[in-house]
Amino acid sequence: MEPLLGKFIVTAGMISLSVVFGAFCRRRNWAGDRAAEALMTFVAVFGYPVVGFLSIWGIRLTASDLALPVMAGAQCVVMTFVSLALSGFVSRDSSERGLLAIAGGVGNNGFTMGAFVLYLLAGEEGLALSGVYGLIFTPVVVFLLYPIAKRYSSKGPPTSLLRLALKNLTDWRSIGLPVTVMAMALSWAGIRRPAFVSDLRLVDVITYTSLPAAFFAIGLRLRLSGIWDLRRHVLWLAGMRFVGGACVGVALAAITRLTPWGFHGVRWTVFVVQSFVPMSVSSVAVANMFSLKADEASALFVANTFMYLALVLPIVFGVF
C-alpha cells in the first residue's frame, strides 16, 4: 500500500499547489481566462484521451466486467437529467442550469478520488475494477456533457440535444471517442500493449502533466469571494452528488442482481462508492471549453470536493 499511498499524497499536494499557483497568477495578472480555457481544452482533448487509451489497452476485458461501465453510463445519464430537471430550484439562468446538470451528473471517479478510495477499501482489485468502471468516461463526455454544454451555453445554438450529440461525431474535440473505441478493440483482439508504455511509465508522465494543467486552470478561474454567493448552489450540488448519487447508485446496483451479471462483493462496493464521489474535474473542463459559467464551475468543484473529504468520506469508511 505504501507506494500508492505515497502516490496519492504527491497527487494531492500537486493538486493543491496547482490551484494555489493558478489563483496567485490570476491575482498578479500573469494569466487569465483565455489561458484557462486553452489549458482545459488541452487536457480534455489530449491528456485524458491518451491516458484512457493506454489504460484501456492494458486491461484484459471480459463480458461480465463490461457490466460496470454500462451501468456507470446509466448512472451518469440518470444523474445528469435529474440534475437538469431540478436545477430550476436554484437558478433560472440557462448557462447556470447547464453547469449544474453536468456538475451533478458526473463524478471524480479517477485515481485522484474514487479509484484511490476504493483501493483503501478493497485493495488492488478495487483499483483495477475502478479502471474498468471508467471505460464509459469518454463516451459520456462526448455524447452527454458536450451536447448539454453547447445547448445551455450563452454561445449555444438553439437546437436539440440529439442533433448536437450527432454533430459531435465530427467535432475535433470529440477525438477521445474513436480513441476509446480503438483501445477497446485492441484489448478484445488480445493485442498486447507495447512494453515501453510501462517501462517508460507513459501513463504516469502524461497524467502528471495533464492534472497540474487542469488544476492550474481551475485556480485561474477561481474566485473564492464568490463562493458565499453560490451557497445555495453548493448545498444543492452536495445533495445531488452525495445523496441523489448514492440513491441512484444503490438502485442500479440492485437492478443488476436481476441479471446474470449482478454486482456482488467488490463489484458492488466499486459501483456504489463511485456513484457518489464529488464533482468531476471534467465538468470544469467542459465548462471552460464551452463558456458555461467557468468561474462558478471552479468554485463549485473546490467546495464540493472539500465537503466530500470532510463530511462524506468518513461515512464511506464507516459503512464500507
Side-chain angles (χ1 to χ4, degrees), residues 17 21-22 64 171 219:
L17 289 175
F21 186 57
S64 59
D171 191 319

Side-chain angles (χ1 to χ4, degrees), residues 257-291:
R257 293 188 173 181
L258 303 176
T259 74
W261 307 281
F263 296 154
H264 298 275
V266 177
R267 284 173 176 77
W268 173 278
T269 300
V270 167
F271 186 82
V272 173
V273 170
Q274 289 281 29
S275 69
F276 61 99
V277 293
M279 172 184 173
S280 172
V281 179
S282 300
S283 299
V284 184
V286 172
N288 276 269
M289 291 168 67
F290 296 102
S291 302

